[in-house]
């Protein structure tokens, strides 16, 4: 066979293998997102506060601080949680966020915001080691004893939050917070692509959170106080 034909055949084989490798990567990349969709087929990202069922606790995931105050996305989550409390959908709120640095305290900022919205401080429990979605979910179950909860997050994140909290053993219903489909929203949606892969790993392996720690009675105390107030 002439050298020119051998060269062309080799280039064709390499291109074919490159295309096959690219297709395999695409398929593998889509598997976690497909799993996430199937695992949360009952979740309606358009469902909000009015559509939520009753549950003992609302779990609010951290979403960053701006100059010590909740970011707009986090404020909207907290507004939804306050709405759930006002409507009697929940009796307590668990705020879960990052307090890994002394100068950065998401949970206390979230608690303060909720009290300004009329949620009694005694009905708010705080998780200071909710460093990511899985940590928030598994600590809610293993540290705070949450068995059933309404999860509050933006619509692009609610499926992942629901899948992970269910994997952690919590009977979960997602409450989606709508946002304008602007650059921030699309950026959050893009983050869900690698987030789905991590979620599949966390749901399958169920690792310990970054910090487990002893049982904390904050949710139990909040629910007990709410029951006393209702009697």
């Amino acid at each position: 066979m002439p050298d020119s034909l051998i060269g062309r055949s080799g280039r064709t084989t390499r291109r074919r293998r490159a295309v096959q490798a690219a297709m395999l990567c695409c398929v593998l990349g889509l598997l976690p997102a497909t799993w996430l969709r199937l695992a949360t087929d009952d979740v309606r990202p358009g469902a909000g506060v009015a559509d939520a069922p009753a549950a003992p606790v609302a779990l609010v995931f951290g979403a960053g601080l701006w100059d010590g105050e909740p970011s707009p996305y986090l404020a909207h989550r907290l507004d939804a949680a306050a709405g759930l409390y006002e409507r009697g959908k929940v009796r307590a709120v668990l705020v879960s966020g990052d307090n890994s640095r002394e100068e950065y305290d998401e949970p206390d900022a979230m608690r303060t915001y909720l009290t300004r919205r009329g949620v009694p401080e005694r009905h708010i429990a705080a998780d200071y080691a909710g460093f990511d979605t899985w940590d928030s979910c598994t600590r809610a179950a293993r540290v705070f004893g949450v068995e059933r909860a309404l999860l509050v997050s933006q619509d692009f994140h609610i499926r992942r939050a629901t899948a992970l909290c269910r994997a952690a053993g919590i009977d979960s219903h997602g409450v989606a917070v709508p946002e304008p489909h602007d650059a921030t929203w699309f950026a959050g949606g893009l983050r869900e692509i690698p987030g789905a892969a991590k979620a599949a790993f966390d749901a399958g392996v169920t690792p310990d959170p970054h910090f487990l720690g002893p049982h904390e009675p904050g949710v139990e105390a909040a629910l007990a106080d709410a029951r006393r107030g209702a009697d």
Side-chain angles (χ1 to χ4, degrees):
M1 180 180 294
D3 292 344
S4 59
L5 292 179
I6 295 174
R8 283 198 296 271
S9 176
R11 287 193 294 272
T12 300
T13 299
R14 287 193 295 272
R15 282 197 296 268
R16 183 184 302 115
R17 288 175 177 170
V19 171
Q20 290 171 342
M23 292 177 63
L24 178 61
C25 288
C26 289
V27 170
L28 292 176
L30 290 172
L31 282 177
T34 302
W35 160 79
L36 191 59
R37 182 61 185 248
L38 293 174
T40 58
D41 187 56
D42 61 314
V43 174
R44 293 185 296 135
V49 171
D51 301 310
V57 183
L59 171 57
V60 186
F61 300 87
L65 302 179
W66 289 9
D67 295 326
E69 296 291 329
S71 68
Y73 268 30
L74 180 52
H76 297 163
R77 296 181 187 185
L78 296 167
D79 289 338
L84 291 169
Y85 183 87
E86 290 165 4
R87 290 170 178 255
K89 303 270 188 176
V90 299
R91 302 192 304 274
V93 180
L94 173 59
V95 294
S96 182
D98 185 352
N99 182 215
S100 58
R101 309 186 307 275
E102 184 176 352
E103 70 278 8
Y104 188 85
D105 189 345
E106 272 189 308
D108 276 351
M110 295 162 76
R111 191 206 307 265
T112 299
Y113 187 97
L114 283 173
T115 59
R116 291 173 184 162
R117 283 292 314 270
V119 182
E121 185 172 1
R122 64 186 183 277
H123 293 170
I124 305 169
D127 178 4
Y128 295 92
F131 301 134
D132 60 20
T133 304
W134 172 249
D135 280 11
S136 293
C137 289
T138 193
R139 280 178 54 82
R142 297 172 64 183
V143 175
F144 289 87
V146 174
E147 297 179 352
R148 186 160 57 94
L150 302 183
L151 314 178
V152 185
S153 189
Q154 268 69 31
D155 50 3
F156 56 77
H157 176 242
I158 200 64
R159 286 187 183 276
R160 180 159 62 94
T162 303
L164 287 175
C165 278
R166 288 175 177 174
I170 300 174
D171 180 5
S172 304
H173 178 90
V175 178
V177 179
E179 299 287 352
H181 289 192
D182 55 13
T184 303
W185 187 90
F186 282 108
L190 286 174
R191 285 182 58 194
E192 290 305 301
I193 297 174
K198 183 180 183 300
F201 173 83
D202 288 335
V205 179
T206 61
D208 285 341
H210 291 86
F211 180 77
L212 184 58
H215 173 73
E216 295 191 23
V219 169
E220 295 166 356
L223 290 174
D225 187 88
R227 283 193 294 270
R228 286 194 297 270
D231 292 339

